[in-house]
RNA sequence: GGGGUGGUAGCUCAGUUGGUUAGAGCGCCUGCCUGUCACGUAGGAGGUCGCGGGUUCGAGUCCCGUCCAUCCCGCCA
């Protein structure tokens, strides 16, 4: 049993050769006398002919789709009127002289033709993932993922990086994402946590002198799932010593450029634009702006400081509050349901309501326009470029909240406009963007203390370091996020490598008790006192990178065996129950859910 | 934890104000067919309408609960 060719290989030049092909029955066309089989393997399709004079035609007539067969036969050039131009091998066919059925396929649970299969319920396809993946379109996604990984590894290798594997059995780090706990049998009552990131280990590798580390790191987070979030996912995780932010930008731009080129043949221009967090929030109302379309936020705080409209006047004259607006061009004819939905989105972001002006038939239709002076209307019209068919949305709130409200409304409005065919974004448009100068700390109203905006190892911008003691909220971190078309591909930072600064951040700014710092991060502080080089790193969400390359919105599509939104693998049926012995060994008792308190 | 959408034949779907025996296309099965490539053609089988309860003379259809999938919010240092 030896295959001579893949199913995409044969051409007229191969005529006269005796070949052996193996693969799956793609389709069968039984004409009573002659029978045709399209034989498919991972590379392509070849037509095989079974003639009545062959001993195997009767077997061929009984073949079922997706059975695995081996055929041997003679490569023959097709007559001109029977050439199939849709097939790479369409000028030839193999006239079969032998046929072996290696595995007959049962009745299929869903059609395998790409266009039909794509519409089949995802849960059924996930249960039969081995079949769904067999479709050329989906095998192509696995190949694409492979190409992207290969390009990234090649670039990192060229740049002097060493791939090092770090443990995924780590310990709990409670201030991060919820973790998967793993009970320790040898240390009863104690638990590992599956690593949510190799963060601390990779910093130790820098202290160890590795200088340039990377890893295609499997990470785990026990949070609710989304189209772009799985409980286990892969990060291109890397760390470098003796660098600054500019080195990191150049490196990542090189990696992504190479991945785009080698995976999908697209040249992306570098360097990428950069935008401060402040500017991103001001203009787009989000820290990962989609800059493929405008609809930018405009400020009218000064304009409404003396307005007759009390809601706007009060916001405009309150310190820290703003009055801002966006113009959703061409969306004035939205339905009542769509408007209500936008209102709900605004309310979820903290708005009390969603003030708007519809401009239709040369008229401004709005519950609030009667309060506006001519001067205010003129300023709005001019700055927002208001024309017939537009609808303007307002937010009057503290700066960050107003930004978030309009940022959400902007994205939803764009989605509506795209659905109505009034906003066209080319599928091959890639707007990469660095978002930089994030605040290092955020004040947590519930806990009445500062929390790290990203993680506590991020170094402050040098000129802001004195503010750590006086006004931590004003300190900008040396953090950077890489954003593509409104999707956060990854983020990282230059780290603190000084024991004293790290200790101050932990204890004085974040107010983590000294004993907790010692037990959780003691080894890091210890390491930093033994020759820690200045260093920084980043982690790219590899699944998201591949999804963007593939033009897919769900990372389930580009994972071989993804989990559903409730965290289950429908094919393997995980998770499952543990045996009594396993639980005994781990000293774990499963208790019934406590009845919900009735209120 | 919250909001939206969906669940009817193996698959994709239709199913009217609640009313006789729940339909279509594809797939499957059985014939016929020697140049098809979405082969064609004739016939056939196939349904606990996700599950449980309720209203009703009568429920795929109305009500309540629940499960599953999915999108989003919260969450994701």
């Amino acid at each position: 049993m030896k295959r001579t060719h893949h199913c995409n290989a044969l051409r007229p030049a191969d005529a006269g050769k005796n070949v052996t092909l193996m693969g799956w029955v793609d389709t069968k066309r039984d004409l009573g006398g002659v029978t045709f089989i399209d034989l498919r393997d991972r590379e392509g399709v070849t037509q095989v002919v079974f003639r009545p004079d062959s001993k195997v035609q009767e077997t061929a007539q009984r073949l079922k789709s997706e059975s695995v067969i081996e055929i041997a036969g003679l490569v023959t050039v097709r007559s001109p009127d029977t050439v199939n131009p849709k097939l790479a091998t369409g000028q030839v066919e193999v006239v079969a002289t032998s046929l072996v059925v290696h595995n007959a396929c049962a009745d299929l649970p869903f059609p395998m033709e790409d266009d039909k299969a794509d519409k089949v319920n995802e849960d059924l396809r996930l249960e039969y993932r081995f079949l769904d993946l067999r479709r050329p379109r989906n095998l192509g996604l696995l190949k694409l993922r492979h190409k992207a990984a290969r390009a990234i590894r090649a670039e990192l290798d060229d740049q002097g990086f060493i791939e090092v594997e770090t443990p995924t059995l780590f310990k709990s780090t409670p201030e991060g994402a919820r973790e998967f706990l793993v009970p320790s049998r040898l240390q009863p009552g104690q638990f590992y946590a599956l690593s949510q990131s190799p963060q601390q280990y990779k910093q130790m590798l820098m202290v160890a002198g590795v200088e340039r580390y990377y890893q295609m790191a499997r990470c785990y987070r026990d949070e609710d799932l989304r189209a772009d979030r799985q409980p286990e996912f892969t990060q291109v995780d890397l760390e470098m010593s003796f660098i600054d932010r500019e080195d990191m930008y150049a490196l990542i731009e090189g990696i992504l450029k190479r991945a785009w080129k080698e995976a999908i043949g697209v040249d992306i221009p570098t360097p990428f634009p950069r935008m401060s967090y402040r500017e991103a929030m001001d203009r787009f109302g989000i820290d990962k702006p989609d800059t493929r379309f405008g609809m930018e936020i405009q400020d009218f705080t000064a304009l409404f400081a003396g307005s007759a409209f009390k809601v706007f006047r009060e916001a405009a004259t309150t310190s820290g509050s703003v009055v801002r607006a966006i113009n959703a061009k061409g969306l004035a004819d939205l339905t009542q349901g769509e408007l209500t939905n936008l209102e709900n989105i605004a309310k979820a972001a903290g708005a009390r309501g969603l003030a708007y002006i519809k401009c239709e038939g040369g008229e401004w239709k709005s519950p609030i326009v009667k309060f506006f002076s001519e001067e205010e209307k003129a300023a709005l019209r001019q700055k927002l470029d208001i024309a017939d068919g537009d609808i303007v949305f307002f937010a009057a709130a503290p700066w960050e909240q107003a930004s978030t409200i309009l940022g959400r409304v902007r994205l939803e409005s764009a989605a509506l406009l795209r659905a109505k065919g009034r906003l066209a974004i080319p599928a091959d448009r890639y707007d990469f963007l660095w978002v930089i100068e994030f605040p290092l700390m955020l004040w947590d109203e519930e806990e009445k203390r500062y929390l790290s905006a990203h993680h506590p190892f991020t170094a402050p911008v040098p000129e802001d370091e004195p503010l750590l003691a006086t006004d931590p909220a004003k300190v900008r971190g040396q953090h950077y996020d890489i954003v593509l078309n409104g999707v956060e591909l990854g983020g990282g930072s230059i780290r603190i490598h000084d024991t004293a600064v790290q200790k101050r951040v932990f204890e004085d700014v974040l107010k983590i008790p000294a004993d907790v710092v010692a037990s959780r991060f003691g080894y890091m502080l210890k390491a930093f006192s033994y020759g820690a080089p200045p260093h920084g790193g980043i982690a790219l969400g590899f699944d998201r990178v591949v999804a963007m390359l593939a033009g897919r919105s769900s990372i389930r599509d580009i994972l071989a065996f993804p989990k559903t939104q409730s965290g289950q693998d429908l094919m393997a049926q995980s998770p499952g129950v543990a045996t009594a012995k396993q639980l005994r060994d781990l000293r774990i008792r499963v208790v019934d859910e406590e009845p919900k308190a009735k209120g």
Side-chain angles (χ1 to χ4, degrees):
Chain A
M1 162 169 146
K2 189 154 189 249
R3 168 155 65 181
T4 60
H5 295 79
H6 266 122
C7 287
N8 68 333
L10 298 174
R11 296 292 183 275
D14 298 302
K17 284 184 188 164
N18 275 300
V19 298
T20 301
L21 304 179
M22 300 187 193
W24 288 262
V25 175
D26 196 68
T27 51
K28 177 183 73 181
R29 293 177 294 281
D30 178 9
L31 274 60
V34 67
T35 301
F36 298 96
I37 299 284
D38 284 347
L39 186 64
R40 187 194 72 242
D41 60 20
R42 72 173 210 196
E43 303 298 332
V45 172
T46 299
Q47 174 165 282
V48 181
V49 190
F50 296 87
R51 296 245 164 85
D53 53 354
S54 83
K55 288 168 288 190
V56 292
Q57 198 227 1
E58 206 177 311
T59 313
Q61 286 177 311
R62 286 198 304 270
L63 280 174
K64 296 194 61 167
S65 286
E66 296 304 320
S67 297
V68 175
I69 61 172
E70 169 182 348
I71 67 102
L74 190 68
V75 180
T76 311
V77 176
R78 298 199 201 181
S79 68
D81 55 318
T82 61
V83 162
N84 183 352
K86 285 187 248 173
L87 228 50
T89 59
Q91 289 181 281
V92 296
E93 60 195 5
V94 177
V95 180
T97 53
S98 83
L99 166 65
V100 180
V101 180
H102 287 298
N103 189 283
C105 183
D107 284 350
L108 294 168
F110 56 83
M112 296 284 285
E113 297 93 336
D114 276 333
D115 292 332
K116 286 181 187 168
D118 280 346
K119 290 183 194 153
V120 173
N121 267 335
E122 196 180 3
D123 53 343
L124 184 70
R125 287 187 285 127
L126 287 178
E127 182 186 342
Y128 291 91
R129 185 64 171 159
F130 45 86
L131 281 178
D132 197 32
L133 275 179
R134 192 186 291 167
R135 296 159 49 203
R137 188 174 289 176
N138 285 341
L139 282 179
L141 292 175
L142 291 185
K143 288 183 199 167
L144 179 74
R145 187 184 175 101
H146 162 73
K147 282 187 196 169
R150 190 178 56 189
I152 289 169
R153 285 198 160 101
E155 180 65 17
L156 286 165
D157 189 51
D158 287 354
Q159 299 296 329
F161 282 76
I162 297 172
E163 180 160 17
V164 181
E165 290 156 278
T166 58
T168 52
L169 286 175
F170 189 44
K171 62 176 183 178
S172 188
T173 52
E175 51 282 300
R178 188 184 296 118
E179 297 159 316
F180 288 98
L181 281 178
V182 180
S184 165
R185 181 180 57 84
L186 297 173
Q187 309 287 332
Q190 296 196 40
F191 296 83
Y192 301 100
L194 292 182
S195 174
Q196 39 174 307
S197 144
Q199 183 64 34
Q200 297 182 32
Y201 282 118
K202 70 175 174 177
Q203 290 193 247
M204 292 304 96
L205 289 175
M206 293 303 101
V207 181
V210 169
E211 295 197 14
R212 294 189 167 206
Y213 139 92
Y214 88 96
Q215 178 179 197
M216 299 298 268
R218 188 62 62 86
C219 302
Y220 305 86
R221 290 180 190 170
D222 189 11
E223 295 289 351
D224 284 359
L225 278 56
R226 290 277 197 288
D228 61 350
R229 292 187 345 213
Q230 283 273 306
E232 53 182 307
F233 57 101
T234 304
Q235 298 213 312
V236 183
D237 188 61
L238 60 92
E239 197 81 6
M240 281 192 282
S241 294
F242 310 117
I243 54 125
D244 60 20
R245 283 176 282 181
E246 294 298 330
D247 297 303
M248 185 58 68
Y249 301 152
L251 176 82
I252 296 303
E253 285 161 5
I255 288 172
L256 292 172
K257 194 181 186 73
R258 187 154 176 177
W260 253 251
K261 182 68 182 174
E262 293 184 11
I264 59 172
V266 169
D267 286 301
I268 52 173
T270 53
F272 302 153
R274 300 173 197 174
M275 190 182 291
S276 71
Y277 168 78
R278 177 92 206 179
E279 184 185 347
M281 292 299 285
D282 271 339
R283 290 172 58 192
F284 300 98
I286 192 166
D287 62 359
K288 44 178 183 179
D290 188 343
T291 55
R292 290 174 300 167
F293 61 96
M295 215 192 290
E296 292 192 22
I297 299 170
Q298 304 292 341
D299 184 85
F300 297 99
T301 308
L303 180 70
F304 287 110
S307 177
F309 185 40
K310 193 174 155 215
V311 176
F312 283 9
R313 187 179 68 241
E314 282 181 354
T317 52
T318 301
S319 167
S321 284
V322 296
V323 178
R324 294 191 173 179
I326 58 168
N327 180 4
K329 291 199 85 64
L331 193 60
D333 64 344
L334 83 179
T335 65
Q336 188 57 46
E338 288 164 345
L339 182 60
T340 304
N341 187 40
L342 282 170
E343 272 169 6
N344 289 338
I345 286 167
K347 282 177 186 166
R352 265 180 269 167
L354 183 61
Y356 65 89
I357 299 170
K358 272 187 199 178
C359 186
E360 280 181 310
E363 241 182 295
W364 283 18
K365 295 173 189 168
S366 160
I368 58 167
V369 78
K370 58 179 181 256
F371 298 111
F372 292 174
S373 69
E374 287 309 314
E375 181 205 351
E376 285 163 350
K377 286 191 217 172
L380 287 170
R381 183 179 292 113
Q382 190 265 326
K383 204 166 174 184
L384 286 165
D385 185 29
I386 301 172
D388 222 44
D390 294 356
I391 181 165
V392 172
F393 296 106
F394 292 91
W399 171 77
E400 192 173 6
Q401 198 176 67
S403 297
T404 305
I405 291 163
L406 290 178
R408 296 257 175 89
V409 171
R410 174 180 177 270
L411 287 177
E412 183 61 25
S413 298
L416 287 172
L417 286 168
R418 287 185 82 169
K420 291 171 194 281
R422 292 183 204 148
L423 176 64
I425 298 177
D428 61 347
R429 177 152 175 195
Y430 300 103
D431 275 21
F432 288 91
L433 177 71
W434 287 107
V435 179
I436 59 175
E437 290 171 3
F438 283 82
L440 191 62
M441 316 278 173
L442 298 171
W443 178 255
D444 189 283
E445 201 40 54
E446 259 175 52
E447 294 192 36
K448 301 285 180 204
R449 69 181 182 103
Y450 286 99
L451 294 178
S452 295
H454 289 93
H455 60 57
F457 316 116
T458 301
V461 171
E463 58 265 35
D464 291 356
E465 218 171 292
L467 293 169
L468 270 180
T470 56
D471 193 355
K474 286 235 168 71
V475 178
R476 291 164 301 167
Q478 294 199 53
H479 180 95
Y480 30 78
D481 271 1
I482 180 72
V483 173
L484 168 57
N485 297 350
V487 173
E488 182 191 331
L489 288 187
S493 62
I494 302 298
R495 327 293 186 189
I496 297 167
H497 66 281
D498 181 276
T499 316
V501 176
Q502 185 71 72
K503 226 172 148 178
R504 239 168 70 213
V505 168
F506 281 146
E507 293 176 7
D508 301 344
V509 184
L510 298 177
K511 307 285 185 201
I512 304 174
D515 58 320
V516 177
V517 170
S519 73
R520 238 179 253 164
F521 306 111
Y523 75 100
M524 291 188 82
L525 294 173
K526 180 162 59 170
F528 286 171
S529 62
Y530 284 91
H535 62 284
I538 196 166
L540 297 178
F542 182 61
D543 307 295
R544 289 183 188 175
V545 168
V546 177
M548 294 302 291
L549 285 167
R552 300 293 179 118
S553 54
S554 168
I555 64 171
R556 287 189 300 273
D557 290 350
I558 52 86
L559 286 166
F561 302 106
K563 292 184 174 56
T564 67
Q565 199 163 43
S566 54
Q568 290 175 298
D569 177 336
L570 297 178
M571 181 187 72
Q573 295 189 299
S574 75
V577 295
T579 66
K581 180 177 186 319
Q582 287 174 312
L583 293 175
R584 253 196 329 273
D585 283 351
L586 296 168
R587 302 203 196 175
I588 285 180
R589 189 177 300 128
V590 177
V591 297
D592 291 331
E593 193 180 6
E594 288 176 34
K596 282 179 189 166
K598 298 251 168 80

